[in-house]
Amino acid sequence: MQVPLIQLQCGVNSYDWGKVGKESAAAKYAAATESSRFSIENEKPYAELWMGTHPSLPSKDVETQRSLLDLVQDNKALMSQEISRKYGEKLPFLFKVLSIRKALSIQAHPNKKLAEQLHAKDPKNYPDDNHKPEMTIAVTPFDGLCGFRPLKEVSYFLATVPSLRNLIGEEAAKEFEEGVSGRETSDNAEDMQRNKKSLQTAFSALMNKDKSTIAIAAKELVASAQKDGEQFAGGGGPSNGGKELADLVIRLNSQFEGDVGLFVLFFLNYVKLEVGEAMFLKADDIHAYLSGDIIECMASSDNVVRAGFTPKFQDIPTLTSMLTYSYAPISEQKMNPVDYPYVTLNRTAYSSSSSAILYDPPIEEFSVVKTELNGKEAKATFEAIEGPSIIICTAGSGKITVGPKTKQVKAGYVFFVGATAECTLESDSESFTTFKAFCELSGKETANGVS
């Protein structure tokens, strides 16, 4: 039987928001595999490296050039019979590296039921019938807009950003303020439902304004950001400084002049992630990634409902009707990674403070382990699991071993490891960093990584 260790050749997408040329980690990783015919063009943007079986950009076996999808369908033991059966003989997750130079669209990914409906009605714009919860782990400093702010912050900005209040309209602004007043932090189910309805009404009022009205308001907003500095938006409120928000408005306007997204940022949490920090976004959660390099893992889908910061198809009625309108500080979306318990570090790894950290979202399709081996000959041995894994090296070099098979690993190399296979990583550099995405339906990975 074939040893279940397969080096993968992975494709990279070129979207306008990607980092350019060799600035893009996604491009550098794609070009690292020797058998790849891909070469980086200095002036071209490279946005996403895809690792998995998704038909839009399937990974291939470096040695045979067969797609990973073909391989797992021919040999169901590679994923386990149970996972193959449950997920239609496809990998349950899609693993990515994103290199973000400018804002991605304001977007959300539909839940399973809505995905099926959208795909049936409009397969051109919604190519999948699957949901797409996703997890983001920062590889370099990252910033983005993620989830609705606490309601007191939204009320604060309606009171301190005149162009926002004028755009939404005095009646809609007052209706929101009165609708949530005194109940902003209530955990009573009825209050929370009323709050979400008020938030939906106000947000929809903004999103449905015509483009010419938004463009006029945006000029006023940008002028205020340029003039007011630290005093912009009433000093910024509890989560962000005034200068921070002013700089953000100016920066985003330089990318998408006069866009509704300049006002959406007052409704959404502005989050910054340091290297190694992570957040989880459920299906139907609104977000817009703004800059940085990230590892992203998601259910295997390419569905996006967009409504701002994009020249692509926008579906405002679907977006405003599908969102959960959950509101919370960003601390509730950030994950709390824990030590991964099913790995053994050798003495060199242990004494050099090497680590294997688990990011485990509350869904079954995927989890991710980040392993950092410090020093040559530091070694981590992962116990076999009842499901498939994909491993990418993001820094340093070393070796990967499954059974009798050992392969060299460098930054950008990607490997598939089949179910029930013990896997060992060993460093031959001072620092060797890998990320491993995996699925196991009923196994050991039960730590809840969401605070």
Coordinates of all heavy atoms in Angstrom, one line a residue, residues 33 127 136 215 251 276 309 328 331-332 365 387-388 429 449:
T33 N 8.0 25.1 -4.7 CA 8.0 23.7 -5.1 C 8.7 23.5 -6.4 O 8.3 24.2 -7.4 CB 6.6 23.1 -5.2 OG1 5.9 23.3 -4.0 CG2 6.5 21.7 -5.6
P127 N -21.1 29.6 -6.7 CA -20.8 28.3 -7.3 C -20.8 27.1 -6.4 O -20.7 26.0 -6.9 CB -19.3 28.6 -7.8 CG -18.8 29.6 -6.8 CD -20.0 30.5 -6.5
T136 N -9.0 32.5 10.8 CA -7.9 33.3 10.3 C -6.8 33.3 11.3 O -7.0 33.6 12.5 CB -8.3 34.8 10.0 OG1 -9.2 34.8 9.0 CG2 -7.2 35.7 9.7
A215 N -21.3 59.0 -2.2 CA -20.0 59.7 -2.6 C -20.0 61.1 -2.0 O -18.9 61.5 -1.6 CB -20.0 59.7 -4.1
R251 N -7.0 55.9 4.3 CA -6.3 54.8 3.6 C -7.4 54.0 2.7 O -7.1 53.8 1.6 CB -5.7 53.8 4.6 CG -5.2 52.5 4.1 CD -4.6 51.7 5.3 NE -5.0 50.3 5.2 CZ -5.1 49.6 6.3 NH1 -4.8 50.1 7.5 NH2 -5.4 48.3 6.2
G276 N 0.4 35.0 15.1 CA -0.1 33.9 15.9 C -1.4 34.1 16.5 O -2.1 33.1 17.0
F309 N -16.4 47.8 -1.2 CA -15.0 47.6 -1.4 C -14.7 46.6 -2.5 O -13.8 45.8 -2.4 CB -14.3 47.1 -0.1 CG -14.2 48.2 1.0 CD1 -14.1 47.8 2.3 CD2 -14.2 49.5 0.7 CE1 -14.0 48.7 3.3 CE2 -14.1 50.5 1.7 CZ -14.0 50.1 3.0
A328 N -20.8 42.3 19.4 CA -19.9 41.9 20.5 C -18.6 42.5 20.3 O -18.2 42.8 19.2 CB -19.7 40.4 20.6
S331 N -12.9 40.9 21.2 CA -12.3 39.9 22.1 C -13.1 38.6 22.1 O -12.6 37.5 22.3 CB -12.3 40.4 23.5 OG -13.6 40.8 24.0
E332 N -14.4 38.7 21.7 CA -15.3 37.5 21.7 C -15.1 36.7 20.4 O -15.6 35.5 20.3 CB -16.7 37.8 21.9 CG -17.0 38.3 23.4 CD -18.4 38.5 23.7 OE1 -19.3 37.8 23.0 OE2 -18.7 39.2 24.7
E365 N -15.4 20.4 10.6 CA -14.7 20.3 9.4 C -13.2 20.5 9.5 O -12.4 19.9 8.7 CB -15.2 21.3 8.3 CG -16.5 20.9 7.7 CD -17.7 21.6 8.3 OE1 -17.6 21.9 9.6 OE2 -18.7 21.7 7.7
G387 N -8.3 10.9 10.3 CA -8.7 11.8 9.3 C -7.5 12.4 8.6 O -6.4 12.2 9.0
P388 N -7.7 13.2 7.5 CA -6.6 13.7 6.7 C -6.1 15.0 7.3 O -6.7 15.7 8.0 CB -7.3 14.0 5.4 CG -8.7 14.4 5.8 CD -9.1 13.5 7.0
S429 N 17.0 23.7 10.9 CA 17.3 25.1 10.9 C 17.1 25.6 12.3 O 16.6 24.9 13.2 CB 16.5 25.8 9.9 OG 15.1 25.7 10.2
G449 N -11.6 26.4 21.2 CA -10.7 27.5 21.0 C -11.4 28.9 21.0 O -10.7 29.9 20.8

